[in-house]
Amino acid sequence: MSDIEEHIAQVAFNEDGLAPVIVQQWDTAEVLMLAWVDAEALRRTLTTGRAVYWSRSRREYWRKGDTSGNIQVVHEARLDCDGDAILLRVDQTGPACHTGTRTCFDTTDLHAVEGSAVE
């Protein structure tokens, strides 16, 4: 088994064969988007240096930027401690969100109360 296959085998994919990917700008730590991968999408991402995801709505693979030009060049991919979520650190060209904004997390503020470590 190759190193890539060994790494993919460590991922705890859900019952649909998918794992969530948190996508972050590599140099600023800005959270850009959340996407999904199956084993093949992750394999393509790890071996090509470009982010590839599984579209749950279209039921097909999509390499970020192929139609929009807003590509994601991979800098690092990490698995969380439970093996069920992936952090993908990328260099984003243009907007990351399909709505045309830089990040998918710049819309609705849920107005959380700011917490404190002291009670």
Side-chain angles (χ1 to χ4, degrees):
M1 184 182 293
S2 73
D3 285 346
I4 293 292
E5 296 307 315
E6 288 176 19
H7 295 306
I8 292 170
Q10 294 176 5
V11 179
F13 294 100
N14 68 16
E15 60 277 356
D16 296 323
L18 301 173
V21 180
I22 301 162
V23 184
Q24 182 181 49
Q25 176 63 34
W26 76 276
D27 55 350
T28 65
E30 177 183 29
V31 176
L32 300 172
M33 58 184 273
L34 173 80
W36 295 88
V37 292
D38 65 0
E40 179 58 26
L42 182 56
R43 183 176 297 106
R44 292 179 190 187
T45 297
L46 297 176
T47 59
T48 67
R50 291 271 307 274
V52 178
Y53 305 110
W54 175 254
S55 171
R56 294 178 302 161
S57 59
R58 294 189 310 263
R59 305 206 43 81
E60 65 184 17
Y61 296 105
W62 56 284
R63 188 170 74 160
K64 185 72 171 161
D66 277 356
T67 57
S68 67
N70 302 320
I71 67 170
Q72 293 177 344
V73 175
V74 175
H75 278 253
E76 183 180 23
R78 301 190 65 85
L79 193 57
D80 80 338
C81 60
D82 296 321
D84 61 358
I86 298 163
L87 174 64
L88 190 61
R89 300 187 71 210
V90 303
D91 190 15
Q92 175 70 48
T93 299
C97 188
H98 70 280
T99 64
T101 59
R102 170 75 181 161
T103 171
C104 294
F105 294 97
D106 64 355
T107 57
T108 304
D109 183 348
L110 298 177
H111 302 285
V113 172
E114 188 170 334
S116 171
V118 180
E119 291 190 34

